[in-house]
Amino acid sequence: MSTTADPLAALGALPGVAESVESVRKAVDRVYGHRIMRRRSNAVTSEAALRAARGSAALSGADWALEEVRRRTDFGTDDDARVMGAALRLTAEAGQLLSIWRQSPLRVLARLHLVAAASDESRVGRPRQASEVVDEPLIELPLPDAREVSGRLDGLADLIIAGSSAPALVTAAVVHGELLALRPFTSHNGLVARAAERIVLIGSGLDPKAVCPAEVGHAEQGRAEYLAALEGYVSGTPEGMAAWIAHCGRAVEFGVRESTAVCEALQRGAA
């Protein structure tokens, strides 16, 4: 990342990033301009949250049909069910943490992990220690040690607290990518990273009604593309960083498409 006073803004100047930002802005404006959003935005928000949780869980190995997520009430029966339950809890919790994020992002991340893990074990709700193993089998990138994790988490928190002139998409992509790269907790890092991205997109004002679920778009692009884009972020090269931001931008646009379809269904009286 750049060493300038506003490194996030420097990433916004990378080739191709401005185009991604503008494409996302136009897509978001279109769905917010839909006539259903003036009358039934709460219904669209609720449906987007369900689809966001389903998409995030799919990327963590629990790829359920939407109707199965809608039907189920017990999410503690097996590993996939627990992943889905964690994703649903995180999606609901994210909206409650918006006011805290800009003042204390590390506190929010700890809370997200606590909600995802739904456990009172001592390793839950805090960054992992040197002796602890990370359970994140779907991400096979080299794992930073606990000391590096601590330093980079502090750096990320400082960036959030200081604020930036960077577009929301850039900030959301960096938060998401950094948490996936670090895997700071002993479990549920992917779910937490995507929930944190959600918080940035909503809290920034880009998607204040939470109707543009990037989680849907990340899942729709597929796990292989997701991990390939993440490798670009981890590389730290300008090209790799720009490719990751563009991937996150496409994810938001896919989320917009999903909610636009929900709007159309509501307009027809079919949902």
Side-chain angles (χ1 to χ4, degrees):
M1 222 180 285
S2 170
T3 58
T4 62
D6 190 349
L8 294 177
L11 292 178
L14 291 174
V17 170
E19 290 82 356
S20 294
V21 168
E22 180 64 12
S23 182
V24 166
R25 187 191 63 78
K26 288 179 177 178
V28 172
D29 285 349
R30 283 195 300 271
V31 73
Y32 272 83
H34 198 286
R35 61 188 301 179
I36 284 292
M37 287 294 295
R38 293 194 294 272
R39 296 185 285 114
R40 300 190 63 185
S41 64
N42 287 344
V44 181
T45 296
S46 295
E47 188 64 21
L50 187 70
R51 296 176 186 225
R54 186 245 155 229
S56 189
L59 287 168
S60 287
D63 193 358
W64 289 13
L66 184 62
E67 289 311 311
E68 177 69 3
V69 182
R70 206 186 301 279
R71 181 187 68 82
R72 287 283 288 269
T73 57
D74 181 3
F75 294 98
T77 54
D78 55 50
D79 287 347
D80 281 1
R82 282 188 283 273
V83 168
M84 186 60 69
L88 288 164
R89 291 191 301 274
L90 283 174
T91 302
E93 186 74 11
Q96 310 302 313
L97 299 171
L98 299 175
S99 63
I100 306 172
W101 173 253
R102 284 294 301 272
Q103 285 74 44
S104 186
L106 296 184
R107 178 181 164 195
V108 169
L109 293 176
R111 174 64 185 170
L112 290 174
H113 187 241
L114 188 66
V115 168
S119 167
D120 59 1
E121 294 181 17
S122 61
R123 67 175 184 267
V124 171
R126 60 156 175 77
R128 56 185 166 85
Q129 298 175 357
S131 60
E132 293 174 330
V133 175
V134 175
D135 179 15
E136 204 75 40
L138 300 178
I139 300 177
E140 299 179 351
L141 293 169
L143 190 68
D145 63 30
R147 179 176 295 181
E148 181 179 353
V149 167
S150 178
R152 286 173 62 175
L153 279 179
D154 286 344
L156 181 63
D158 289 344
L159 286 177
I160 299 303
I161 293 167
S164 171
S165 63
L169 173 64
V170 173
T171 303
V174 168
V175 168
H176 185 170
E178 192 71 357
L179 293 174
L180 285 178
L182 294 178
R183 282 145 288 162
F185 303 108
T186 56
S187 63
H188 299 93
N189 290 288
L191 294 174
V192 168
R194 291 183 287 276
E197 179 187 53
R198 179 179 183 82
I199 288 171
V200 175
L201 292 172
I202 298 169
S204 67
L206 177 65
D207 181 23
K209 294 183 183 293
V211 296
C212 307
E215 301 93 329
V216 169
H218 288 302
E220 188 163 336
Q221 292 179 84
R223 190 181 300 152
E225 189 168 335
Y226 183 65
L227 295 177
L230 176 61
E231 288 183 7
Y233 177 86
V234 172
S235 75
T237 65
E239 297 79 11
M241 299 290 284
W244 171 249
I245 294 168
H247 174 89
C248 292
R250 288 191 296 274
V252 175
E253 292 187 61
F254 278 125
V256 166
R257 187 177 69 180
E258 188 88 353
S259 286
T260 300
V262 170
C263 288
E264 295 295 329
L266 289 169
Q267 187 165 280
R268 294 191 304 269

